[in-house]
Amino acid sequence: MMTTPQASPDLASLRVQIDNIDQQMLSLLNQRALVAERVGEVKKREGSAFFRPDRVAQVIEKIKTANPGPLKPTHVAAIWREIMSACLALESPQRVAVLGPAGTFCEEAAIQYFGGAADLLYCNSFEEVFHATAAGSAQYGVVGIENSTEGVVTRSLDMLLHTPCHVVGEVSLLIRHNLLRTTNSAENIEVVAAHPQALAQCQAWLSKHLPHAERRPVESNAEGARLAALNPTWAGIASERAAQQFGLHVVAHAIQDEAYNRTRFAVICLPDTLPTPAPSGHDCTSLIISVPNRPGAVYELLAPLKKHNVSMTRFESRPARTGKWEYYFYVDVEGHPDQPNVAQALAELQQLSAFYKQLGTYPTSAA
């Protein structure tokens, strides 16, 4: 018969201290939650937004600055984000549309931004995320915008043009793709299922290690993992979170072709849900513009930015689908429209444009 080893007197004493501290922390957390409920009542009477990402950022930054250690600032930030998420759920649960099923990188980005207490609505595509957010089925949505290896997510750019949603935040997520399967072996894999972006980001590894396997594009990496869980000859490319979700083995870790592989996710909502956030000092403004089809028109767009010392961080073109070889340009510039030089540059840019739409101003994920 096995016996449980007894803790030493010193260890037992330390555990009693930890238990007492845990009880104090629990009491304080519930006190905070009661105050948060009262805050929610005031917001409801005043008609103000329940979720304020700028307020969340301010609180977390203040806590990180005041942190004396030994806890690391990043760990303190993660703890406080979850505390604030749980308290917000008492004020007003935030429903967030994400690409499903459970286990996607999009879900991970949403949890990183809103915390684990957010009520997630799983959608079959980024297009559905936009529709759910625009229709009010969810207050917010999270969609992939750009990957450091494969470039922009074109469907998301198209949907930003055609829906009333605007961007109020972003999350930059380090992407690690893993080969997942029901058995812990890479032999006899007939199909690899994943999102087209993931298949493209892993094409060199797949060509070398699984040259004869069919590459099957699906709506999300988590959907590929779900399908792999149903068929022993299939494998998925997804996160370790998806492996846990569907009970799969991680046959190969980090199979993406580029070690530094990040994806930007945009947080979207209707302007009535949350207006443009106040300046944070580390902001990005996203635009869609088009210009008359004449020589030098695109070159002229750069002049207001140079004139007012505004830096452009992205410039992408997409066909306007008019059949006349016209294009929409997706532009990111550094700064907030409340800054005089940015406001002047945007006003002149609008005058030069045949079409102009401001997609959103938001703190960058590096802030």
Side-chain angles (χ1 to χ4, degrees):
M1 180 177 177
M2 295 183 63
T3 58
T4 304
Q6 296 295 314
S8 67
D10 287 345
L11 183 57
S13 173
L14 292 171
R15 285 175 174 170
V16 169
Q17 289 183 48
I18 286 177
D19 289 344
N20 290 335
I21 293 169
D22 285 346
Q23 289 300 314
Q24 294 174 47
M25 289 172 58
L26 181 61
S27 176
L28 289 171
L29 287 172
N30 279 301
Q31 288 180 46
R32 190 190 195 285
L34 289 171
V35 175
E37 286 184 319
R38 291 166 58 189
V39 168
E41 293 169 1
V42 173
K43 287 180 177 177
K44 187 177 292 184
R45 287 199 304 269
E46 295 180 349
S48 55
F50 284 95
F51 178 64
R52 287 275 308 278
D54 55 332
R55 168 65 178 163
V56 173
Q58 288 168 7
V59 171
I60 290 176
E61 189 58 36
K62 187 183 297 184
I63 290 294
K64 287 168 62 178
T65 302
N67 174 39
L71 286 176
K72 295 180 179 179
T74 53
H75 295 163
V76 169
I79 291 167
W80 248 261
R81 188 174 296 280
E82 289 301 322
I83 291 171
M84 298 185 75
S85 176
C87 290
L88 179 63
L90 295 174
E91 295 179 36
S92 177
Q94 301 299 293
R95 196 161 207 212
V96 183
V98 299
L99 182 65
T104 62
F105 289 112
C106 185
E107 176 195 57
E108 188 175 333
I111 292 172
Q112 183 171 313
Y113 192 84
F114 291 94
D119 179 16
L120 301 183
L121 173 65
Y122 294 100
C123 301
N124 292 324
S125 65
F126 284 145
E127 188 172 34
E128 283 191 22
V129 172
F130 274 97
H131 287 318
T133 308
S137 302
Q139 289 130 313
Y140 297 90
V142 177
V143 294
I145 289 292
E146 183 180 21
N147 177 263
S148 59
T149 304
E150 291 300 310
V152 296
V153 181
T154 56
R155 191 58 186 144
S156 291
L157 296 188
D158 291 343
M159 293 301 294
L160 283 170
L161 173 63
H162 296 295
T163 68
C165 299
H166 72 152
V167 182
V168 293
E170 72 169 15
V171 178
S172 178
L173 204 63
L174 187 64
I175 304 297
R176 291 287 179 262
H177 290 310
N178 307 287
L179 189 72
L180 311 181
R181 197 183 180 193
T182 54
T183 57
N184 196 14
S185 169
E187 295 181 359
N188 302 317
I189 293 175
E190 297 177 1
V191 175
V192 178
H195 189 276
Q197 283 261 343
L199 292 172
Q201 291 163 25
C202 303
Q203 58 182 328
W205 191 95
L206 292 172
S207 296
K208 179 179 179 180
H209 296 278
L210 297 172
H212 304 298
E214 177 194 346
R215 301 176 193 180
R216 182 78 59 90
V218 293
E219 289 290 353
S220 71
N221 291 337
E223 175 63 11
R226 187 189 71 81
L227 293 171
L230 301 176
N231 192 324
T233 65
W234 285 37
I237 296 175
S239 64
E240 291 188 9
R241 184 186 185 92
Q244 297 169 3
Q245 180 75 28
F246 297 103
L248 297 169
H249 292 277
V250 179
V251 178
H253 290 268
I255 66 171
Q256 69 279 349
D257 299 334
E258 298 292 334
Y260 186 80
N261 184 31
R262 302 193 76 92
T263 294
R264 285 176 65 208
F265 292 87
V267 180
I268 60 171
C269 69
L270 292 173
D272 287 346
T273 301
L274 186 71
T276 298
S280 70
H282 304 275
D283 300 296
C284 175
T285 297
S286 295
L287 316 164
I288 298 179
I289 56 180
S290 67
V291 292
N293 190 4
R294 57 178 175 76
V298 175
Y299 175 79
E300 291 173 1
L301 289 177
L302 305 179
L305 302 179
K306 178 177 174 58
K307 175 183 175 183
H308 297 286
N309 197 31
V310 175
S311 176
M312 181 172 62
T313 58
R314 186 178 66 164
F315 189 86
E316 300 280 348
S317 64
R318 291 284 292 150
R321 299 181 181 177
T322 60
K324 300 178 181 179
W325 298 103
E326 295 174 331
Y327 290 85
Y328 288 113
F329 298 98
Y330 293 76
V331 181
D332 284 352
V333 299
E334 288 183 357
H336 193 285
D338 282 1
Q339 298 171 239
N341 66 315
V342 176
Q344 292 167 2
L346 295 180
E348 291 181 21
L349 199 59
Q350 186 170 4
Q351 291 296 317
L352 293 169
S353 303
F355 174 87
Y356 177 97
K357 180 181 181 182
Q358 192 164 308
L359 299 179
T361 298
Y362 46 92
T364 62
S365 57

